[in-house]
């Protein structure tokens, strides 16, 4: 890539091996950022070694990891860099990414980081409004249940805070659970039993509708969330749509890029 200027934006994602969702989510976010900041050159990096290796072997598709992207950016003569992650929270992936980027700090005039999706109180409100806009058809006798990833990192508390904020903002039938942490699926079951819905809509609270969405959430195995909801007697409909497909979520990432540009 030959840069149009010495300024660039590096968009860092975990990645996905699902081509359809990649185009609809990660590439949509990148395209929106590129259109919003045409004076910046755009670069991409993914952090999942497993996904990068899988794509290289299966599709002969080579995507840079963070170190490789930084070396390319340096080689292209970029002096001022904005790094925007598409991570949902300030978790382990984000911490590691920042360390890798900052190891190049002395080779640039400036490196600034945009925040992950859910960082401030304002972010939480914007994300909730983006969700409500996306599921404007949700009826009072239905429940919308999101599957987040979850982590043992202390940033996992964001999921419980957001679940509470849905209710606090007047959406008692929207719930957020996680695959690997708290709130758990059992927490959601306990809440639903207090006022059982006629229908449950399942959706991933992840940027892409990838492996977790297709298997852990909507898979045919007996331990998928859809199977477990059906076992509890709920009429369950999966929506395989990542957060990156929601216009309001993409706008939130762009606002984070702008915040990074505005940093002194």
């Amino acid at each position: 890539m030959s840069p149009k200027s010495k300024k660039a934006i590096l968009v860092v994602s975990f990645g996905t091996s699902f081509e359809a969702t990649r185009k609809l989510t990660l590439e949509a976010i990148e395209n929106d950022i590129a259109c919003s900041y045409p004076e910046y050159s755009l670069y991409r990096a993914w952090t999942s070694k497993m996904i990068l290796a899988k794509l290289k072997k299966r599709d002969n598709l080579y995507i840079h990891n963070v170190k490789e992207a930084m070396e390319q950016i340096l080689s292209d003569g970029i002096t001022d860099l904005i790094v925007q992650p598409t991570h949902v929270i300030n978790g382990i992936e984000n911490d590691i990414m920042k360390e890798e980027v900052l190891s190049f700090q002395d080779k640039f005039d400036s490196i600034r980081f945009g925040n992950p999706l859910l960082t401030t109180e304002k972010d939480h409100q914007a994300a909730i409004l983006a969700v409500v806009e996306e599921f404007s058809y949700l009826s009072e006798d239905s429940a919308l249940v999101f599957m987040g990833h979850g982590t043992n990192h202390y940033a996992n508390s964001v999921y419980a805070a957001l679940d509470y904020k849905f209710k606090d903002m007047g959406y008692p039938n929207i719930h957020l659970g996680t695959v690997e942490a708290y709130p758990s699926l059992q927490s959601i079951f306990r809440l639903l039993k207090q006022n059982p819905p006629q229908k449950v809509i399942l959706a991933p609270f992840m940027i892409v509708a990838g492996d977790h969405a297709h298997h852990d959430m909507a898979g045919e195995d007996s331990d998928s969330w859809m199977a477990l909801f059906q076992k509890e007697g709920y009429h369950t409909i999966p929506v395989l749509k990542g957060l990156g497909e929601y216009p309001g979520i993409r706008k939130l990432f762009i606002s984070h890029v702008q915040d990074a540009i505005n940093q002194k």
Side-chain angles (χ1 to χ4, degrees), residues 167-182:
K167 279 88 176 161
D168 194 40
M169 286 179 66
Y171 306 105
N173 56 341
I174 302 180
H175 308 276
L176 175 57
T178 66
V179 186
E180 297 185 1
Y182 181 85

Side-chain angles (χ1 to χ4, degrees), residues 113-152:
F113 292 95
N115 285 328
L117 184 68
L118 299 176
T119 303
T120 67
E121 176 64 21
K122 190 177 170 186
D123 294 340
H124 288 211
Q125 291 191 30
I128 286 172
L129 293 176
V131 163
V132 170
E133 184 181 6
E134 191 66 33
F135 290 91
S136 57
Y137 59 85
L138 187 68
S139 59
E140 287 185 9
D141 61 356
S142 299
L144 172 58
V145 175
F146 279 109
M147 170 191 269
H149 190 279
T151 174
N152 57 11

